[in-house]
Amino acid sequence: MHADAPQGSGEGRSFKPVPLNGICALLSDKWTVPVLWRLSLAADHRLRFSTLKKEVEGITQRMLTLTLRNLERDGLVARHYFPEVPPRVEYELTDMGIGALHALEVFNFWVHDNLHTIREHRRAYDDGRL
Amino acid sequence: MHADAPQGSGEGRSFKPVPLNGICALLSDKWTVPVLWRLSLAADHRLRFSTLKKEVEGITQRMLTLTLRNLERDGLVARHYFPEVPPRVEYELTDMGIGALHALEVFNFWVHDNLHTIREHRRAYDDGRL
DNA sequence: CTGCATCCGATCAGATACTG
DNA sequence: CAGTATCTGATCGGATGCAG
C-alpha cells in the first residue's frame, strides 16, 4: 500500500512527479475506457467490431475505428483479422490492457463513492452563480 | 482488495458498469491533474494563483483560471480570497481533492511501469505503417 | 462486415488586451 | 495580483458516402 505517496516520503517506491501526462491522454480519449471496459466483460476478452459498435453506447463507427487503432498501437488491444467473406475482425484485450483497467479500479470506486457529493457541490456552486 | 472486479462477481462491492464517464471528464481535462498535483506538494496544500501559474509547466492564465473554477465547482479545491491591495487569492486542496489524487495513485504507478512498453509498441506499430 | 475519406459544425485552447 | 473578454487557428467528433 502506498497511501501516502503524494508527499514523496520513502515508501519503497520513488514517486515520479506526474508522469501521467502523455499516456494519460490515451485514457482521456472519451471512448477508450468504455471500449476497454466492454472488452473486459467478454468471456475471452474478445469481441467483433460490429458487436462493439452495437454495445458501446453511442459510439460511431468512425470513433470506434480510431479508438481501436490507438489502443492497438499502444498494445492494449490486439487485432485479429479473418479473411473470410464477409470479413471478420476480432479485437482482444491484451494483458497490458487488462492491467490498465485494473489500475483504474481504485479510481473507479472513488468516482462511485464521490459522485453524489460532487453533484451537490456543482448544484450549490451553480445556484450561487445565477 | 478487489483485484477481479471487472467480472462483477460478488466481491462485497457491487461493480457499477463504468460510471467513469462524466466525472472522468473532469480528470481528462489536461490541466486538472497537474494543478491538483502541484497543490498536493505544497506544505499546507495551499498556493496562490501566481505561484500555480509559475509552477504548473506550460499552463496559461486562461486555462489555470478555468481549471480552478471547475475544481472549485466540484469541491476538489477551495478558493480563499483576501481583499487586500494588491489582491491575494489562495487555492487549497480539499479532503476530497486529496482523495481523488490518492485514487489515481495506482494508475499513476501503472503508467510509470508501462510507459516504456507502450512507447515501444507505438514505435513498432508506426514502423510497420511507413 | 469492416473501415477509409470527406465535409462540416462545435468546441478547445493560445495570444492578446483590458479591468478592479 | 487576479482575473475577464474577445479573436482565432486547431482539433474533435458526427454524418454521410464509398470500397475491399
Side-chain angles (χ1 to χ4, degrees):
Chain A
M1 304 125 219
H2 26 64
D4 251 330
Q7 269 62 38
S9 44
E11 289 249 348
R13 197 160 187 177
S14 67
F15 201 89
K16 284 280 202 300
V18 204
L20 284 167
N21 283 325
I23 299 299
C24 182
L26 203 189
L27 295 159
S28 67
D29 257 356
K30 180 180 184 183
W31 292 115
T32 48
V33 173
V35 167
L36 288 177
W37 182 257
R38 187 59 192 83
L39 283 171
S40 79
L41 295 179
D44 48 358
H45 293 164
R46 267 171 179 255
L47 287 176
R48 308 188 49 160
F49 184 88
S50 52
T51 308
L52 281 168
K53 183 172 184 308
K54 244 182 307 178
E55 303 195 1
V56 174
E57 172 78 12
I59 197 169
T60 61
Q61 192 181 50
R62 170 190 163 81
M63 283 303 104
L64 180 55
T65 301
L66 292 176
T67 303
L68 288 169
R69 284 291 168 281
N70 285 329
L71 289 174
E72 187 196 358
R73 190 168 98 104
D74 290 347
L76 301 186
V77 155
R79 185 175 187 271
H80 303 283
Y81 177 73
F82 303 90
E84 313 162 353
V85 273
R88 177 167 54 104
V89 180
E90 288 182 357
Y91 291 92
E92 180 190 19
L93 206 55
T94 64
D95 288 344
M96 191 159 62
I98 296 171
L101 235 29
H102 277 167
L104 283 172
E105 271 176 41
V106 174
F107 178 59
N108 195 7
F109 285 131
W110 181 87
V111 170
H112 179 257
D113 291 342
N114 291 272
L115 204 125
H116 184 64
T117 309
I118 291 181
R119 289 231 174 88
E120 283 193 343
H121 269 276
R122 286 188 183 177
R123 245 183 317 112
Y125 186 91
D126 291 346
D127 283 358
R129 283 260 150 195
L130 298 183
Chain B
M1 294 123 224
H2 26 65
D4 252 328
Q7 268 62 39
S9 44
E11 289 246 351
R13 198 161 186 176
S14 67
F15 203 90
K16 285 277 201 303
V18 203
L20 285 167
N21 284 323
I23 299 299
C24 183
L26 203 190
L27 295 159
S28 65
D29 257 358
K30 179 180 183 183
W31 292 114
T32 49
V33 172
V35 167
L36 289 177
W37 182 257
R38 187 57 192 84
L39 283 172
S40 79
L41 295 180
D44 48 358
H45 293 164
R46 266 172 181 255
L47 288 176
R48 307 187 51 156
F49 183 88
S50 51
T51 308
L52 281 169
K53 183 171 182 310
K54 243 183 308 179
E55 303 195 0
V56 175
E57 173 79 13
I59 197 169
T60 62
Q61 192 180 47
R62 170 190 164 83
M63 282 303 105
L64 180 54
T65 300
L66 293 176
T67 303
L68 287 170
R69 286 289 170 281
N70 286 329
L71 289 173
E72 187 195 357
R73 189 168 99 103
D74 290 347
L76 302 186
V77 154
R79 185 176 186 270
H80 302 284
Y81 176 74
F82 303 91
E84 312 163 352
V85 272
R88 177 167 54 105
V89 180
E90 290 183 357
Y91 290 92
E92 181 190 19
L93 205 57
T94 64
D95 287 344
M96 191 158 63
I98 296 171
L101 235 29
H102 278 166
L104 283 173
E105 272 176 41
V106 174
F107 178 59
N108 194 7
F109 285 130
W110 182 87
V111 170
H112 179 257
D113 290 342
N114 290 272
L115 205 126
H116 184 64
T117 308
I118 291 181
R119 290 234 175 87
E120 283 194 342
H121 270 275
R122 287 188 183 176
R123 243 182 319 112
Y125 185 91
D126 292 345
D127 282 358
R129 283 258 150 195
L130 300 185

